[in-house]
C-alpha cells in the first residue's frame, strides 16, 4: 500500500507556503535533495533563487527580511555549507532580522560517532545555537510543522532574529503522519501603565530631550514623529534607524546634528535601540543626563543602566506616551532652531570628499521610495551621516557586525522582495570581490540591482590607519583589481564607468530606468578619500 503521508521535506515546503513564504534562496545539495524536490513541488507558490555561494543565499534572505519585515528563508547543506552562511546569520542576529535557515545533517544513526561522514560537524546544532536566536532538529516527519512553528514563534517574539532548522539526511526523506500546527502568536510583553506614566513624568521635566531610534522602532514612524513634535525633541538615527522619521523632517537629526544637540541634552530617550552611538562612539555624556529606554527586550533593562526602563513594543509605548503628553507649543521657533542645526551639520560634512558628492549624485538618481544598501567602504561610512533616507527600511546595513562584503548580495535579496522599487548597492573594491560571483545570480534570475563599485585599489580604512598610525608600514592593504566593467559584462550584466559624481548620476538614472542588473565602476585614487571618522567618532566637547 502506498504511503500517503508527506516526507519531512514536503511537510516543511507545504508549511512554508501556507505561511505565505514566496521565495527561498539557496543551493541544492545531497543532504537536502528531498527538501529541494519538495520545493519543486510547490514552485507555483514558492520561487527558488539559486545562488553561487552559501553566504550569498544567507545575505539575500537577510536583505529580503530587513527590507520587508517578513521572514527571509534560505537553504544550504550542513557542515561547510551552513558555516559558509554563518556570517549572514550573525548579521541577521545583529540586525534583528527574521531569517530562517533550513539545513540538513548526517544520517541520524551516525550522529555523534565522529565517523567522518560527508559534511559532518562535531555538534552542528550547538554551533548554530551560539549564533542564532533559536535552533532545533526534526527527528521525525511528524515534528516538521511543529518545529517550524517553534522557529517562527522565536523569530517574531520580542527582539526579532534568525533561526535554524535541521533534519538528518535520512529523516528529510522519511514519511509519516503530522497534523497541521496552528501558528503560535509572537510574544509581546504587557506594557506597565505605571512605568509609562513615570516615563511621561521624566519627559515633562526635561528641557532638552533627545530621541534615539533603532530597528525596534521601525513600525512607529508617524506616531514617533507626533511624539517628537509634542515634546520638542529631535529624533536621531545612526544606521538601522535611518528613515523611521523621514530625513526631510526638521525633527530628523543625523549623527552630526545629533552630536551638536547632545552637548546640552538633559534626557536621552532610546526607543528600540542599543544606543551604540552615544555610549560607544561619543563616549561621554552631558552632566546630569538622564536616560529613558523603551525596548521589547527585557535584557536592555540591565544594559547601560538607564534611569528608567519601559518594557514594551515601541509603537505601543510611543502611542501611549503621546496620549499622556500635551504639546509644548512653539513649534515654528523650534523647527527653525532645529533646521539651523541640521544646516550647520550639512555644511560641516561637505569636506568629506569625494564621498559626499557621490552620495548626493546617488540620492538625486534614486527614487524617494528606493533602497540604498551600504557596504563597509569609505562611501558607505560617509552615507551614515550624509545620505538622506525618506522611509523606514530604505537604508539597509549590516548592523553592528559590519560585515565586509555583505552589501551586493544583500541588495539582491532586497530587490527580490521589492521588484518594482529601485535598489542601489554601494561597495568598495575589496568588499565587492567577497561576493562578486552573485553577478551570475543577478543575471540568471534578472534581479535588477544596480551595483556601484568604488575602485580605489585598497582596503581603504586599513590603508589609512597603516599610513597614519603605523608610519606607512602597509601590509595587505593594497589591492590588484580586475576591470570591473569587463568582469560584469562577462556575466551578461550591463556595466559602465562613471568616475565623477555628475557621470554617476547620469549612469544611475539610466540603469534604474532599465530595471535590469547593472554595475557602475567608479575609479578613484588610492588613499585619496577624506576621512569620515571625525564624524563617526567625534572628539569630546571641551
Amino acid at each position: 500500500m502506498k504511503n500517503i503521508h508527506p516526507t519531512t521535506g514536503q511537510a516543511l515546503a507545504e508549511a512554508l507556503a501556507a505561511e505565505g513564504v514566496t521565495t527561498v534562496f539557496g543551493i541544492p545539495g545531497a543532504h537536502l535533495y528531498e527538501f529541494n524536490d519538495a520545493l519543486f513541488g510547490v514552485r507555483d507558490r514558492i520561487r527558488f533563487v539559486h545562488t553561487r555561494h552559501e553566504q550569498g543565499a544567507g545575505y539575500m534572505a537577510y536583505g529580503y527580511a530587513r527590507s520587508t519585515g517578513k521572514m527571509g528563508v534560505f537553504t544550504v547543506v550542513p557542515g561547510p555549507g551552513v558555516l559558509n552562511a554563518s556570517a549572514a546569520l550573525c548579521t541577521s542576529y545583529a540586525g534583528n532580522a527574521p531569517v530562517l535557515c533550513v539545513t540538513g545533517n548526517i544520517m541520524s544513526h551516525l550522529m555523534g560517532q565522529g565517523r567522518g561522514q560527508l559534511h559532518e560537524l562535531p555538534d552542528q546544532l550547538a554551533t548554530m545555537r551560539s549564533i542564532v536566536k533559536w535552533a532545533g532538529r526534526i527527528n521525525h516527519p511528524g515534528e516538521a510543522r511543529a518545529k517550524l512553528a517553534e522557529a517562527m514563534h522565536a523569530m517574531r517574539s520580542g527582539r526579532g532574529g534568525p533561526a535554524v532548522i535541521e533534519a538528518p539526511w535520512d529523516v528529510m526523506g522519511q514519511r509519516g503522519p503530522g497534523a497541521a500546527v496552528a501558528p503560535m502568536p509572537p510574544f509581546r510583553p504587557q506594557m506597565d501603565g505605571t512605568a509609562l506614566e513615570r516615563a511621561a513624568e521624566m519627559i515633562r521635566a526635561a528641557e532638552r530631550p533627545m530621541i534615539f531610534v533603532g530597528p525596534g522602532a521601525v513600525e512607529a514612524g508617524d506616531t514617533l514623529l507626533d511624539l517628537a513634535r509634542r515634546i520638542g525633541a529631535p529624533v536621531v538615527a545612526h544606521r538601522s534607524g535611518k528613515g523611521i522619521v523621514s530625513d526631510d523632517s526638521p525633527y530628523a537629526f543625523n549623527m552630526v546634528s545629533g552630536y551638536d544637540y547632545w552637548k546640552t541634552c538633559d534626557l536621552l530617550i532610546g526607543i528600540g535601540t542599543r544606543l551604540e552611538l552615544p555610549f560607544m562612539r561619543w563616549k561621554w555624556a552631558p552632566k546630569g543626563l538622564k536616560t529613558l529606554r523603551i525596548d521589547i527586550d527585557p535584557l536592555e533593562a540591565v544594559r547601560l543602566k538607564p534611569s528608567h526602563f519601559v518594557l514594551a513594543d515601541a509603537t505601543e509605548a510611543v502611542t501611549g506616551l503621546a496620549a499622556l503628553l500635551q504639546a509644548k507649543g512653539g513649534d515654528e521657533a523650534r523647527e527653525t532652531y532645529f533646521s539651523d542645526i541640521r544646516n550647520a551639520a550639512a555644511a560641516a560634512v561637505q569636506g568629506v570628499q569625494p564621498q559626499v558628492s557621490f552620495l548626493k549624485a546617488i540620492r538625486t538618481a534614486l527614487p524617494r521610495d528606493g533602497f540604498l544598501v551600504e557596504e563597509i567602504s569609505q562611501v558607505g561610512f560617509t552615507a551614515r551621516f550624509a545620505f538622506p533616507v525618506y522611509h523606514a527600511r530604505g537604508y539597509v546595513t549590516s548592523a553592528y557586525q559590519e560585515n565586509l562584503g555583505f552589501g551586493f548580495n544583500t541588495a539582491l535579496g532586497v530587490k527580490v522582495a521589492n521588484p518594482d522599487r529601485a535598489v542601489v548597492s554601494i561597495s568598495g573594491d575589496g568588499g565587492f570581490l567577497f561576493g562578486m560571483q552573485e553577478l551570475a545570480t543577478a543575471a540568471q534570475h534578472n534581479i535588477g540591482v544596480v551595483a556601484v563599485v568604488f575602485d580605489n585599489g585598497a582596503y581603504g580604512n586599513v590603508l589609512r590607519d597603516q599610513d597614519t598610525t603605523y608610519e606607512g608600514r602597509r601590509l595587505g592593504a593594497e589591492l590588484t583589481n580586475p576591470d570591473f566593467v569587463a568582469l560584469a559584462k562577462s556575466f551578461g550584466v550591463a556595466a559602465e564607468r562613471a568616475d565623477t559624481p555628475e557621470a554617476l548620476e547620469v549612469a544611475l538614472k539610466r540603469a534604474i530606468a532599465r530595471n535590469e542588473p547593472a554595475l557602475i565602476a567608479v575609479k578613484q585614487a588610492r588613499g585619496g578619500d577624506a576621512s569620515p571618522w571625525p564624524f563617526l567618532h567625534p572628539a569630546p566637547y571641551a
Side-chain angles (χ1 to χ4, degrees):
M1 182 176 178
K2 185 177 180 180
N3 190 334
I4 60 172
H5 297 302
T7 65
T8 297
Q10 289 169 339
L12 278 174
E14 286 290 344
L16 288 170
E19 286 293 334
V21 172
T22 58
T23 305
V24 173
F25 304 92
I27 300 176
H31 297 70
L32 289 158
Y33 279 163
E34 295 292 343
F35 179 59
N36 303 150
D37 190 57
L39 289 175
F40 182 84
V42 295
R43 65 192 182 280
D44 58 330
R45 289 170 285 168
I46 295 180
R47 176 188 183 188
F48 187 69
V49 177
H50 61 291
T51 67
R52 305 306 287 268
H53 193 285
E54 291 94 351
Q55 191 172 99
Y59 280 138
M60 289 179 209
Y62 172 71
Y64 190 103
R66 273 301 295 265
S67 64
T68 63
K70 300 177 182 178
M71 181 168 60
V73 184
F74 74 98
T75 180
V76 293
V77 296
V82 78
L83 291 177
N84 278 341
S86 62
L89 289 171
C90 290
T91 305
S92 301
Y93 187 89
N96 310 327
V99 169
L100 176 67
C101 171
V102 179
T103 188
N105 209 319
I106 65 172
M107 294 287 186
S108 56
H109 66 283
L110 294 173
M111 295 178 70
Q113 296 185 31
R115 297 275 300 276
Q117 295 295 299
L118 177 65
H119 298 345
E120 182 178 0
L121 289 178
D123 192 338
Q124 177 173 283
L125 201 58
T127 301
M128 291 297 102
R129 282 174 174 156
S130 71
I131 60 172
V132 299
K133 192 174 180 187
W134 181 96
R137 176 181 299 144
I138 299 170
N139 296 297
H140 181 274
E143 295 181 343
R145 293 181 177 89
K147 289 294 184 183
L148 178 61
E150 283 184 47
M152 294 179 63
H153 175 71
M155 287 190 291
R156 294 170 174 172
S157 294
R159 185 195 292 276
V164 174
I165 288 181
E166 69 170 36
W169 195 341
D170 52 326
V171 173
M172 193 65 86
Q174 286 177 0
R175 296 179 180 273
V181 176
M184 292 183 280
F187 170 76
R188 290 287 184 270
Q190 184 174 356
M191 186 169 61
D192 183 342
T194 302
L196 195 70
E197 177 58 50
R198 183 181 169 194
E201 291 173 0
M202 292 178 69
I203 294 172
R204 292 188 195 103
E207 295 184 2
R208 288 176 63 86
M210 174 190 289
I211 299 172
F212 257 86
V213 292
V218 72
E219 303 294 344
D222 291 341
T223 310
L224 188 59
L225 181 57
D226 176 55
L227 176 65
R229 288 195 179 107
R230 284 176 180 269
I231 68 176
V235 180
V236 184
H238 176 201
R239 287 176 302 224
S240 300
K242 287 172 69 68
I244 292 175
V245 170
S246 174
D247 274 326
D248 57 4
S249 165
Y251 289 85
F253 277 24
N254 63 17
M255 65 172 69
V256 181
S257 49
Y259 188 61
D260 185 43
Y261 194 84
W262 172 249
K263 60 187 175 183
T264 56
C265 174
D266 60 354
L267 176 64
L268 175 63
I269 307 169
I271 305 176
T273 171
R274 295 181 177 91
L275 292 176
E276 175 197 2
L277 187 60
F279 286 102
M280 295 181 68
R281 294 179 181 266
W282 292 352
K283 297 181 180 178
W284 71 283
K287 186 176 180 180
L289 177 76
K290 294 183 179 179
T291 306
L292 166 63
R293 300 198 65 189
I294 298 169
D295 207 285
I296 203 168
D297 184 355
L299 290 177
E300 294 301 324
V302 296
R303 292 182 181 134
L304 304 179
K305 297 181 180 179
S307 307
H308 182 54
F309 182 80
V310 178
L311 179 65
D313 171 79
T315 302
E316 182 183 4
V318 170
T319 302
L321 281 174
L324 291 171
L325 295 164
Q326 297 292 325
K328 287 186 176 181
D331 288 352
E332 185 174 345
R334 185 184 307 112
E335 290 183 12
T336 299
Y337 172 54
F338 284 177
S339 292
D340 289 343
I341 296 175
R342 284 160 45 90
N343 292 337
V349 305
Q350 288 304 308
V352 186
Q353 295 292 351
Q355 300 98 301
V356 169
S357 294
F358 280 117
L359 289 166
K360 183 178 179 181
I362 295 170
R363 182 65 275 179
T364 301
L366 183 67
R368 187 179 178 89
D369 67 348
F371 294 86
L372 181 76
V373 183
E374 71 154 46
E375 173 67 275
I376 307 308
S377 64
Q378 297 308 298
V379 178
F381 286 133
T382 307
R384 296 178 187 178
F385 56 80
F387 187 84
V389 182
Y390 304 126
H391 66 98
R393 303 187 188 280
Y395 185 85
V396 181
T397 84
S398 56
Y400 65 76
Q401 286 294 345
E402 303 272 30
N403 305 53
L404 186 64
F406 102 105
F408 175 59
N409 296 349
T410 296
L412 294 175
V414 174
K415 183 63 176 178
V416 169
N418 302 273
D420 297 325
R421 296 163 74 178
V423 179
V424 173
S425 158
I426 54 174
S427 303
D429 45 3
F432 184 74
L433 285 179
F434 275 44
M436 66 88 182
Q437 71 281 346
E438 302 306 339
L439 285 168
T441 303
Q444 185 164 2
H445 293 277
N446 194 28
I447 305 172
V449 167
V450 183
V452 181
V453 181
F454 292 90
D455 177 8
N456 64 359
Y459 292 123
N461 264 349
V462 177
L463 186 91
R464 180 185 294 114
D465 289 344
Q466 289 179 350
D467 283 352
T468 58
T469 306
Y470 297 95
E471 301 175 341
R473 295 189 294 275
R474 295 180 178 181
L475 178 70
E478 297 166 296
L479 305 176
T480 299
N481 288 325
D483 179 333
F484 285 103
V485 171
L487 175 70
K489 287 182 177 179
S490 74
F491 283 97
V493 171
E496 60 182 301
R497 279 274 299 275
D499 294 343
T500 66
E502 296 76 15
L504 177 59
E505 180 182 332
V506 172
L508 261 177
K509 287 179 178 177
R510 189 161 48 228
I512 289 170
R514 290 196 304 267
N515 198 25
E516 296 174 349
L519 182 145
I520 302 171
V522 181
K523 188 69 175 177
Q524 296 181 289
R526 179 178 290 163
D529 293 349
S531 175
W533 289 102
F535 297 102
L536 295 168
H537 283 287
Y541 283 101

